[in-house]
Structure formats: structure tokens, C-alpha cells
Amino acid sequence: MGLESADDLIDDLGRALYAAGRPDGLPVAGERCYAYTGGRAFDPALPTVVFVHGAANDHSVWALQSRHLAWHGRSVLAVDLPGHGRSTGAALPTVEALADWVAALLDAAGVDAATLVGHSLGALVALRAAAWHPARVTRIALLGPAMPMTVSDSLLELTQADDPRALALITGWSYSAAAQLGGSPVPGMWMTGTARRLMERMSPGVLHTDLLACHRCADGLVAAARVRCPALLILGSRDIRSAAAECTGADRGVVAAADGDAGGVRARADGRGAGCGARGAGPVLLTRRCPREEERWDTRSMHGGPRFPRCAR
């Protein structure tokens, strides 16, 4: 599939998701927020799941997950963050501002509390929202989190100049070798090409703003220690930022931040916290299946705890 085909695929997917979402948008902080609802009418009385995408992405990266949950007893809001996709306004410059925006989104949707699912930048946002808006968050799932989530100066310089080489670098290290040669459960899907096209569709400066927000987020461990809701962490074994099998230092703190009290984002045998790894996966985990039983990773190498329970399918 060539670049033109990848472009057509995003166009077709975008039209379908737009028709199935809330084309009028939700009024949030003086702007309009687009949210895909999984092909069903949004009902705030049902348990709600909010999906938060990563840097220079939009709601379409959650198409499969959001649709599945929408048709299995949940209400879903797969949002476009401000300045992304079909949401209006400028991209917000900090994780703190994005977390507050998520709380305002719940107000606009008439939702008291929700599950937050975030990937990469979205994982930082979900973590921060759970820590500083605990009454609004029932549980969190963090895909590809890292703390700190620093970005190299050279990449920040490229994104500031809107240099297309930045997109090549990001797609190069975001996908495992297998994914770059194929490996998608969807026949004919060119994952790296589709991801690059999606980032190219963002307004100038959006990628730089998003990466700078990740780079400047310095209180992730403090946020993790404040979390009191159940948490799930999903990491790729080939994720160069926070590989599941090599999680040390600050990354370990995201998994085991609380020290002896009842909360914190950590792996626990009592079901309050859990995690799983995806063998061979890089930071982009959204198209990966849940790992099989034999692919679970053992946390004893990280902090002496028990194995994580199997990821729910």
C-alpha cells in the first residue's frame, strides 16, 4: 500500500468516525471538542471510558478499542485534544493544562467520573488527571508510559522547524522491526505509513507543542503516588523509553510509586493495580493484540513483586 493509499485510508476512516461521533462537538473551555462515540449514541448514565491519544494523533487511533467498548455496555468518548483533528483551538502546552481540560470535558459531557485510557502523552494526561482530579476518575489504563518522557534536543529542533525528518525518526523508533515490515492483524495495513500520514495532517507546530509538553512534565512520580484508583500499565518490550523487561529508575517508580500506603500506580496482587507487556512491541501499542499467557512479563526483576495477572481480553 503506497502513501496515496494510506492517505485514502485515513480519509475513509475519518469520514466514518466523524459520522459516528459527535459532529457538533462538545463545548469545552470555550472551544469545540470532537469525540468519537463508537458508533452508538452517547449515554452519560452508562459507565464512561475516555480515550486520550498521543502526540500529533487524534481519536482515530482508538477506532477498534472504542467501538468494542461502546458495543459492550460502555459509553465512549475518544477525543481529539485541542488543536488536533476536528477539535478547535490551539494545542495546549502542558500536561497539567491537558489534565484540567479532561476534567472540563467530563463536565461538558455530563459525566461525574470516568475511566481514562491514555497512550504516550495521553498516558501522562490520564495519570495527572487521576492524581489531581481523583473524584472524576474511576480507573486508568496507561499505554506506553514513561517518566520522565524526555525528548532529545535534536528532535525538538526538527519539530520546531516542521522538518519532515522528525516524522521519519518518530515512526522509525515507535514501531518494532516486525511492525515496519507488516505484522498488522489487519491485512494490507501499512502501520508506519498510516501513522506518518496522521502526523502530517496536524497543523504546524502541534507536534512540537505536544513533545515539549512531554519533555517538560517533571512530576509524574508525584502524580503516581497520589493515584488511588485501580491502574493498568501496558508496556512494549521494545519500547526504548520504558521497556517492560528493563524498567529501572524513574520508570520503575511509575509502576511502584506508593510506598506502603493504599494507593499509587503499581502492580499489586490484590487487583488494585496490574500490568502486562507486549513482546516485540515498540511505543505504539494500539494495534497490538493483548499478550498471550506465555508472553506475560515478570515484575520480580523490577521490584520483587508477584507476576502481573493476565491482561483482560
Side-chain angles (χ1 to χ4, degrees):
M1 180 169 62
L3 288 176
E4 293 80 6
S5 298
D7 226 17
D8 292 340
L9 176 63
I10 292 178
D11 277 336
D12 293 342
L13 179 60
R15 282 192 290 268
L17 297 182
Y18 184 71
R22 299 181 65 124
D24 55 326
L26 288 166
V28 183
E31 300 290 347
R32 307 299 293 185
C33 165
Y34 176 77
Y36 173 57
T37 59
R40 298 185 70 101
F42 182 78
D43 182 357
L46 291 175
T48 298
V49 181
V50 176
F51 290 93
V52 186
H53 60 75
N57 283 180
D58 65 16
H59 67 278
S60 64
V61 299
W62 301 109
L64 299 178
Q65 297 88 347
S66 53
R67 185 170 180 83
H68 174 84
L69 291 179
W71 289 84
H72 288 83
R74 300 291 189 272
S75 279
V76 168
L77 293 172
V79 300
D80 287 347
L81 293 174
H84 298 70
R86 294 179 170 87
S87 289
T88 63
L92 299 181
T94 66
V95 170
E96 295 82 357
L98 287 165
D100 292 341
W101 181 89
V102 168
L105 167 77
L106 297 179
D107 291 336
V111 174
D112 292 330
T115 295
L116 302 185
V117 181
H119 171 243
S120 192
L121 168 62
L124 296 180
V125 174
L127 178 65
R128 172 88 187 186
W132 269 268
H133 301 278
R136 312 304 304 274
V137 181
T138 56
R139 54 182 58 84
I140 55 175
L142 311 180
L143 284 73
M147 182 52 57
M149 196 176 287
T150 54
V151 182
S152 70
D153 291 340
S154 58
L155 181 55
L156 288 174
E157 290 172 1
L158 290 174
T159 58
Q160 187 172 28
D162 286 315
D163 191 317
R165 289 178 295 175
L167 307 186
L169 288 171
I170 291 171
T171 53
W173 56 254
S174 290
Y175 289 87
S176 65
Q180 294 188 41
L181 296 174
S184 171
V186 180
M189 174 67 76
W190 181 23
M191 290 189 284
T192 54
T194 301
R196 182 164 178 168
R197 276 301 197 217
L198 179 58
M199 289 189 288
E200 288 174 348
R201 287 171 172 247
M202 297 296 139
S203 299
V206 167
L207 177 58
H208 181 70
T209 298
D210 288 351
L211 294 185
L212 204 57
C214 294
H215 185 71
R216 291 175 172 171
C217 182
D219 64 349
L221 299 185
V222 175
R226 291 172 59 104
V227 171
R228 295 295 179 267
C229 64
L232 171 69
L233 277 69
I234 303 177
L235 306 174
S237 65
R238 296 292 182 90
D239 188 339
I240 61 176
R241 300 171 310 176
S242 56
E246 300 174 359
C247 194
T248 60
D251 291 330
R252 182 190 304 167
V254 176
V255 179
D259 184 14
D261 58 47
V265 178
R266 53 180 175 172
R268 291 169 56 98
D270 60 10
R272 281 184 52 83
C276 60
R279 175 174 294 174
V284 179
L285 295 155
L286 309 185
T287 54
R288 302 285 301 190
R289 59 172 170 74
C290 180
R292 296 190 300 269
E293 176 74 16
E294 64 271 20
E295 291 180 339
R296 294 181 306 169
W297 44 279
D298 196 329
T299 63
R300 284 175 293 189
S301 63
M302 292 163 52
H303 61 87
R307 289 178 71 97
F308 286 139
R310 180 162 49 181
C311 182
R313 298 183 187 274

